[in-house]
Amino acid sequence: MAATGFIAVSGAVSALDYLAGRATGLDAEWQAKTAGGDPQPKTTYLMLLTQVIADGQTDMTTLVGIEAAGTGYARQPIPWGAASTGSRMATTTDLVQFGPFSDPTGLAAPVTGAALVTRMTSSAGQPSGLCLMAWNLDQPITTQQNQALQVAAGSLSMTLAVT
């Protein structure tokens, strides 16, 4: 799964606020999850998308509208390794699997990207959480019945560039 990624608006604002010593939207999100009884408040999830997206489209209302759908699909927790000081990069540490999808056509539409979000679920009427990062795939992925989609360890990365 080759992909090109970018930090989402909420992720960039939270990173800058954190570096400046300010309270961040991400801090508020973690606190809300903790107060809501989420047993893993700082877990992030990967959601699959069915349209190529740009930075201005990373609000949760837009993303929920283009999230993949099909029996067997659910956002998956994504494990990140510690950021490397040399490369300023963090990469995924384990295999992440979506599915298998039991619908006759697999997922309803080809997967064209993914987003790193703070909530496991949300709905069109009640989108919640933040999008921290997004990736557009180099090639769309079409799934079939009883097929699973896997994201290999190390295949997604986040880099904070310094110029």
Side-chain angles (χ1 to χ4, degrees), residues 12-41:
V13 169
S14 289
L16 289 172
D17 282 345
Y18 177 81
L19 291 172
R22 298 171 49 87
T24 71
L26 190 54
D27 286 335
E29 173 68 8
W30 297 150
Q31 289 171 9
K33 287 176 69 177
T34 300
D38 190 324
Q40 297 179 317

Side-chain angles (χ1 to χ4, degrees), residues 92-106:
T92 53
T93 58
D94 292 318
L95 174 82
V96 176
Q97 179 169 305
F98 294 88
F101 312 112
S102 59
D103 288 345
T105 58

Side-chain angles (χ1 to χ4, degrees), residues 5-148:
F6 57 91
I7 193 166
V9 173
S10 293
V13 169
S14 289
L16 289 172
D17 282 345
Y18 177 81
L19 291 172
R22 298 171 49 87
T24 71
L26 190 54
D27 286 335
E29 173 68 8
W30 297 150
Q31 289 171 9
K33 287 176 69 177
T34 300
D38 190 324
Q40 297 179 317
K42 291 190 177 182
T43 299
T44 54
Y45 300 89
L46 195 64
M47 70 187 296
L48 301 179
L49 306 173
T50 60
Q51 290 181 18
V52 172
I53 58 168
D55 189 32
Q57 301 170 308
T58 56
D59 62 280
M60 288 304 291
T61 301
T62 299
L63 295 179
V64 168
I66 61 171
E67 185 171 10
T71 305
Y73 169 78
R75 295 177 193 172
Q76 295 299 310
I78 190 151
W80 293 99
S84 163
T85 55
S87 65
R88 299 177 187 94
M89 180 187 303
T91 59
T92 53
T93 58
D94 292 318
L95 174 82
V96 176
Q97 179 169 305
F98 294 88
F101 312 112
S102 59
D103 288 345
T105 58
L107 291 174
V111 175
T112 59
L116 182 69
V117 298
T118 58
R119 299 284 176 118
M120 186 170 189
T121 61
S122 54
S123 65
Q126 286 266 304
S128 59
L130 300 173
C131 173
L132 304 175
M133 188 93 185
W135 296 266
N136 286 311
L137 301 182
D138 293 342
Q139 297 291 322
I141 298 173
T142 303
T143 58
Q144 298 177 14
Q145 187 174 30
N146 299 323
Q147 180 182 5

